[in-house]
Amino acid sequence: MEQADIFEVENGAGASQHRAQIVPVMVPVAVDKTYSYKVPQGFHLEPGTVVKVPLGGQLVIGAVWEGEADTSLDPKKLREIIHVYDCPPLSENIRRFVDWVAAWTLSPPGMVLRMVLRSEEALEPERPVPGVLWDGESEPDRITAARKAVLEIAANRMGWTKAALAEAAGVSTSVVDGLRKQGVLQDIEIASKPLPVPDPTRPGKQLTEQQREVSSILTQQIGQGFTAFLLDGVTGSGKTEVYFEAIAEALRQGQQALILLPEIALTAQLLERFEERFGTKPAEWHSKVPGRRRAQTWRGVASSEVKVVIGARSALFLPFKQLGFIVVDEEHDGAYKQDDRVPYNARDMAVVLGHISAFPVVLASATPTVESRINVEMGRYRLLSLPERASGAALPTLTSIDMRVDGPERGKWIAPQLMTRLRETLANGDQALLFLNRRGYAPLTLCRTCGHRFHCENCSAWLVEHRFKGKLVCHHCGYSQPTPPACPECGRADSLVACGPGVERVAEEVIDAFPEARVLVLSSDMGGGAERIAKEMKLVEDGEVDIVIGTQLVAKGHNFPQLTLVGVIDADLGLANGDPRAAEKTYQLMAQVTGRAGRIHGKGVGILQTYNPEQPVIRALLSGNPESFYAVETESRKNAALPPFGRLAALIISAEDRLWAEKYSRVLAQSAPACEQVTILGPAEAAMAQVRGRFRFRLLVMTRRAFDLQGFLRSWLQSAPPPTRGLRVQVDIDPQSFL
Ligand code: ADP
Ligand code: ZN
C-alpha cells in the first residue's frame, strides 16, 4: 500500500525527466493535518521515514505519513525536506497507533507523534566517541604513582574514554593526557557495547499446577493474534513468573516484548528478577534513563536488537519493530493515566496497540479495576485467575481499630492496640509497615495565635510541612518556602503548629516509642530519586529495617519476605474527595498494602485504623471477600451509567483570570449541540480550583456506551466560539482524576 500513497508530480522547472516526489509529512505541532514537502533528488521516501523539514522559521523533526500529498500547491512554493534520518522507518502499526491515539484523545496527531520522536540523538546511527587504549607494553619516560594507577586500569586492553579512565584510576585527566602525548596511550574510537540479548532457553521456576495452566494459555496465544487477558492473581501468586513464560515464548518466536510498570521505583526489583530468569537485564525506559542510553535503546527497539523493554507508560510510544506481547503490570494503578499534554491511559492504549498490531496483551493485578472486571464479564477480556499464593502462605488476616473508641491520645496517631502489635512483631524479629498516604510531616500548618494558614500562592492547596527539609511545600506545583520561625501574619514566634499526620510525623512517634528499632521512612520525595528508593527497598528486603513508614510507594509490587504486620494509619483517607472512583481506589490501596504482609511465610496481619468501620469499603476489606465489593461497585456504576457502562469526558477550562475562565465555560456549555443522548454537567469549579496560577472550571460529558463521544466533542468544539485571551480547553477522555 505504501507506494500508492505517494505520488509524483511534474517538477515546475520544466525538465520533464526530473520528477520530484511530494509526500505528506506529520510535524510535531498542534494542527490536525499533514504538510506536503518535496523529496530531495535521489531519494524515494516511504511512509514512516523520519525527516527534518522547515516549518515557519524553524526546522522540525517529522515523519512521512500516509494519505495524499497536496498536489494543488504550486510546486515552486513547495519546500523541500532538508534531511532524511538514517534510522528504520516507523512501522505501519506505529503510524496507525499514533493516528488512533490522536483521534481517541482529540489531540493533534503531530503531538502524539512527538511522543515517539522524543530524542534527535536517537535518529542517527551512534557516533563513536574518542577514547584511548594501551597496548600493554609502551612505557612512559618516568613512572609516577598516578601513571601507574592509570596503566593498571588500562591493562585490561579495553578502550576507555579519557574521563572514565581518569575516574577509574582516581587521577585527573591531565595524567591521561600526559601518557597520550608520550604515545603510551593511543587514540582510538570507541562505540557503545552491543546490548545483551535475553536468553529464553534458561529454565524458569518450577511452576505450580495453577500457574502452569494459566501460563500455557498465555504462551499459546503468542504469535496467534490479539487477545486481551486480565491476569487476576492475589499478591504473591506468581503473576510475574507466569508472564515471564509468555515473554520467553515471544523471544523464542523472534518477537519483542514490553513490560509496563506504573512507577520507576518498581523497576529495580523486576530488573533483577528478569536477569535471574533470562541471564541479562532488559532495556529500561523512563525519564531517568540517561540521554545516550535512551538514544541507544530507541534505536535498538527500532531495529529489533533490543528484545525486551521494562518501562513507564511512555515506553508504549517506542518504535518497536516486532513487538509481540505487552504486560501492563499493576493495571489498576492511576499512574498509567497521563493528565497533561496528550491525556491518555497507557493501560487502555496498550490494549489498542495489541489490537492494531495483532498480539496478546496482559493486564495484571491483585486488585483489578472495576472496568477491567466488567470488561471480562462483557466478554471483551479473557480472565486468568491465580487465587492462591505460590508459597501456599495464607493471605493476611485483617482487623480494624475503631478510632472513635480505641484511638490514641491527642496529638498521637498510633492506637494502643497497634502499638502492642508493633511491640510483638519486633519481639519476634519480624518487620512491620505503617502505611499513610501523606508525604511530609503535617498536611496543614497554622498559627495558634492568629489562625493563619499557609496556602500555596499558585494553587488551592495548603502547604505541607517537610520537617526533614525544613520547608513548606505545595504537593501540586512543587512551590516551596523555608519554614519560618515566626508567623508571617501576627509575627508571633513559636506559635506555628502542625495539624494532622504525615509519614515524617508518624516516624517521630515510632522512634519515640521504639528508640532501639531501625526505622525507615519510604516516600517518593525524600531526595536521591529512584536510585535511593531502590537501595532502601533492598534494605527492607534484606531485613536491615525493623519498621517501615511509607506512602503509597510501598503499596506497590515489592516483596518484603520478613514483613508480617501492616498497620494502616488512616484507612478513611481518600474516601471523601468527590472522586467517583474513590471507593475503588481506597479498596485497591488497602488490599495492596496489607497484601505485603506474610507473603512468603504467611501469618500476616493487617490492621486498619478507621473512624468509620461501617463504611462499605472497610467492611468489604475485613470480610476478605472482594467479590461482594466488586458486585456492589459494579451495580452502582451501572446505575449511574459510569464507565465502562457509559462514556465520560471532562473539559477543563482554565485561564489566569478566574472570571474569564468561568464566563467561557458557560459559553462553551451553552454552545453544546442539542442531543438527548448526552448529559452535560457543569460548569463547576474544579475540585482543585487553582493549579499553577490557573483557575479551572470543569464540564463533565456523559453518554451511553454505544455513542460516538469523540465525534460529538469534535463538532461541539469546532462550532463553539474559539477560546481567546489565554484560555485553554483541555479534553480528558475517561478522566481518572477529579481534582
Ligand atoms: P505476584 O507478581 O503475583 O505478586 P510474584 O511473581 O512476585 O507474584 O511471586 C511472589 C514470590 O513467590 C516471588 O518471590 C516468586 O519468586 C515466588 N514464586 C512464585 N512462583 C513460584 C514458583 N512456582 N516456585 C517458587 N517460587 C515462586
Ligand atoms: Zn501550588
Side-chain angles (χ1 to χ4, degrees):
M1 62 146 294
E2 327 269 88
Q3 291 305 315
D5 284 340
I6 297 171
F7 45 103
E8 303 182 1
V9 295
E10 197 137 325
N11 192 326
S16 58
Q17 301 90 323
H18 292 160
R19 282 155 169 271
Q21 187 194 7
I22 298 173
V23 292
V25 174
M26 186 70 76
V27 287
V29 294
V31 294
D32 264 328
K33 53 172 197 155
T34 52
Y35 289 95
S36 297
Y37 287 90
K38 244 187 311 196
V39 172
Q41 283 288 330
F43 281 92
H44 187 86
L45 301 188
E46 297 180 12
T49 309
V50 184
V51 294
K52 189 183 255 182
V53 294
L55 182 74
Q58 278 180 308
L59 295 177
V60 297
I61 299 169
V64 178
W65 219 246
E66 3 277 322
E68 316 238 311
D70 187 351
T71 44
S72 65
L73 295 170
D74 177 355
K76 273 180 242 160
K77 289 199 182 136
L78 269 181
R79 302 176 84 176
E80 194 171 85
I81 288 171
I82 66 155
H83 184 67
V84 177
Y85 287 97
D86 185 8
C87 68
L90 305 178
S91 71
E92 189 187 344
N93 285 340
I94 291 168
R95 300 190 313 264
R96 284 176 59 199
F97 183 54
V98 167
D99 283 334
W100 205 98
V101 173
W104 178 258
T105 58
L106 269 81
S107 307
M111 299 311 276
V112 181
L113 179 65
R114 206 153 102 159
M115 301 197 288
V116 178
L117 300 174
R118 275 259 170 86
S119 117
E120 184 170 9
E121 190 187 351
L123 302 175
E124 301 278 19
E126 188 180 280
R127 252 172 253 138
V129 294
V132 291
L133 180 74
W134 186 40
D135 59 11
E137 287 167 10
S138 314
E139 290 190 8
D141 51 1
R142 184 168 57 78
I143 194 84
T144 62
R147 286 177 170 180
K148 188 153 171 271
V150 169
L151 293 181
E152 267 167 17
I153 298 284
N156 69 357
R157 310 278 183 91
M158 287 197 332
W160 290 82
T161 65
K162 282 197 294 179
L165 182 54
E167 195 191 321
V171 303
S172 77
T173 48
S174 63
V175 180
V176 178
D177 266 326
L179 290 167
R180 268 179 68 228
K181 284 202 194 94
Q182 292 194 15
V184 179
L185 294 175
Q186 281 85 49
D187 286 334
I188 56 156
E189 294 198 319
I190 49 182
S192 294
K193 271 184 272 173
L195 296 158
V197 178
D199 175 6
T201 63
R202 291 165 58 106
K205 289 212 163 71
Q206 180 75 34
L207 297 186
T208 64
E209 184 73 34
Q210 220 176 51
Q211 291 172 337
R212 206 162 41 234
E213 241 169 68
V214 167
S215 126
S216 80
I217 295 173
L218 268 186
T219 25
Q220 278 166 28
Q221 190 61 39
I222 300 292
Q224 300 298 317
F226 170 72
T227 299
F229 293 98
L230 175 62
L231 177 54
D232 180 352
V234 297
T235 49
S237 58
K239 296 185 288 299
T240 315
E241 301 299 333
V242 164
Y243 69 65
F244 275 180
E245 291 309 311
I247 290 173
E249 178 58 23
L251 290 171
R252 282 192 285 268
Q253 296 188 20
Q255 299 172 345
Q256 296 167 291
L258 168 63
I259 305 173
L260 290 180
L261 290 179
E263 185 121 25
I264 305 174
L266 295 181
T267 50
Q269 200 170 37
L270 193 57
L271 290 174
E272 248 171 56
R273 280 181 69 179
F274 188 94
E275 185 172 18
E276 245 169 64
R277 172 69 173 83
F278 294 101
T280 177
K281 289 202 170 71
E284 259 184 282
W285 186 266
H286 49 71
S287 56
K288 297 285 157 35
V289 176
R292 199 174 155 84
R293 172 51 74 97
R294 282 169 80 84
Q296 194 190 10
T297 304
W298 195 95
R299 276 191 309 271
V301 166
S303 65
S304 196
E305 256 166 85
V306 167
K307 295 299 179 190
V308 181
V309 176
I310 291 189
R313 61 182 183 226
S314 60
L316 202 52
F317 291 92
L318 280 169
F320 287 97
K321 188 177 179 198
Q322 281 165 326
L323 189 56
F325 182 57
I326 303 181
V327 182
V328 183
D329 205 350
E330 312 285 349
E331 69 97 18
H332 61 276
D333 199 295
Y336 281 119
K337 181 68 190 285
Q338 168 161 303
D339 280 326
D340 52 355
R341 291 177 303 246
V342 177
Y344 70 95
N345 189 325
R347 175 199 58 194
D348 299 340
M349 294 306 111
V351 174
V352 168
L353 183 56
H355 194 256
I356 288 176
S357 325
F359 59 69
V361 176
V362 170
L363 313 184
S365 175
T367 52
T369 50
V370 173
E371 266 109 327
S372 293
R373 304 219 359 160
I374 296 172
N375 279 330
V376 167
E377 277 169 32
M378 291 179 163
R380 282 194 287 266
Y381 296 172
R382 178 164 177 195
L383 180 66
L384 302 173
S385 306
L386 291 173
E388 281 159 30
R389 283 181 161 174
S391 59
L395 287 166
T397 344
L398 294 193
T399 56
S400 67
I401 296 176
D402 185 340
M403 297 290 273
R404 292 166 308 185
V405 243
D406 298 322
E409 61 185 272
R410 253 180 89 84
K412 301 257 189 252
W413 317 100
I414 303 174
Q417 286 175 41
L418 182 51
M419 275 294 184
T420 309
R421 286 291 199 159
L422 278 173
R423 202 163 296 121
E424 289 166 5
T425 306
L426 294 185
N428 284 339
D430 291 336
Q431 279 177 324
L433 164 68
L434 294 180
F435 173 73
L436 176 61
N437 205 11
R438 260 209 205 120
R439 295 177 280 145
Y441 186 81
L444 171 67
T445 305
L446 59 77
C447 172
R448 207 171 5 210
T449 311
C450 73
H452 174 77
R453 296 167 167 214
F454 289 84
H455 196 276
C456 175
E457 293 175 358
N458 318 312
C459 308
S460 16
W462 305 121
L463 294 181
V464 177
E465 183 186 358
H466 286 241
R467 201 160 276 191
F468 291 162
K469 292 184 193 153
K471 278 182 179 161
L472 298 172
V473 181
C474 171
H475 282 178
H476 288 278
C477 72
Y479 166 85
S480 78
Q481 63 179 66
T483 310
C487 173
E489 189 79 23
C490 68
R492 182 78 169 256
D494 297 326
S495 177
L496 301 178
V497 286
C499 297
V503 278
E504 293 179 12
R505 196 169 195 184
V506 172
E508 199 175 80
E509 195 175 332
V510 167
I511 292 167
D512 237 23
F514 305 102
E516 71 295 345
R518 294 166 300 174
V519 175
L520 175 73
V521 175
L522 263 177
S523 170
S524 57
D525 60 351
M526 299 296 285
E531 228 165 85
R532 165 171 176 166
I533 290 168
K535 255 188 225 141
E536 293 178 337
M537 294 279 188
K538 190 93 176 68
L539 283 182
V540 182
E541 207 185 317
D542 294 345
E544 303 285 327
V545 175
D546 302 314
I547 304 179
V548 184
I549 295 139
T551 61
Q552 63 173 2
L553 197 61
V554 298
K556 300 178 180 181
H558 289 268
N559 277 323
F560 299 144
Q562 301 171 53
L563 186 70
T564 57
L565 173 68
V566 174
V568 177
I569 298 295
D570 183 354
D572 311 322
L573 187 69
L575 275 174
N577 63 4
D579 176 347
R581 289 188 181 86
E584 178 187 3
K585 285 180 186 163
T586 304
Y587 179 83
Q588 287 160 344
L589 197 53
M590 298 295 112
Q592 290 280 344
V593 73
T594 53
R596 304 289 124 209
R599 278 182 89 160
I600 305 297
H601 309 296
K603 295 186 302 246
V605 173
I607 297 181
L608 311 176
Q609 297 195 144
T610 173
Y611 283 90
N612 200 354
E614 293 310 309
Q615 219 283 336
V617 173
I618 308 277
R619 288 232 312 260
L621 282 162
L622 294 180
S623 75
N625 177 10
E627 296 314 315
S628 67
F629 171 74
Y630 280 112
V632 172
E633 198 53 28
T634 302
E635 202 49 36
S636 79
R637 290 270 175 105
K638 197 182 230 159
N639 293 337
L642 285 169
F645 295 106
R647 293 191 193 279
L648 199 59
L651 301 187
I652 303 285
I653 298 97
S654 68
E656 283 176 18
D657 181 288
R658 189 179 176 283
L659 272 179
W660 191 240
E662 183 176 16
K663 201 166 137 215
Y664 183 73
S665 351
R666 285 230 193 78
V667 171
L668 195 59
Q670 277 152 15
S671 66
C675 177
E676 59 184 31
Q677 301 187 50
V678 180
T679 310
I680 297 173
L681 304 176
E685 194 152 49
M688 277 289 295
Q690 194 192 5
V691 175
R692 296 183 181 90
R694 296 181 70 85
F695 289 89
R696 306 174 339 134
F697 286 81
R698 193 184 66 192
L699 294 169
L700 261 188
V701 187
M702 300 171 74
T703 76
R704 58 192 177 77
R705 190 178 163 81
F707 180 81
D708 179 10
L709 174 59
Q710 278 84 354
F712 174 83
L713 292 173
R714 223 170 268 128
S715 64
W716 175 8
L717 293 174
Q718 268 159 21
S719 62
T724 52
R725 291 223 321 244
L727 277 164
R728 199 150 63 207
V729 179
Q730 165 104 352
V731 181
D732 187 357
I733 301 292
D734 199 11
Q736 299 289 312
S737 159
F738 289 80
L739 295 177

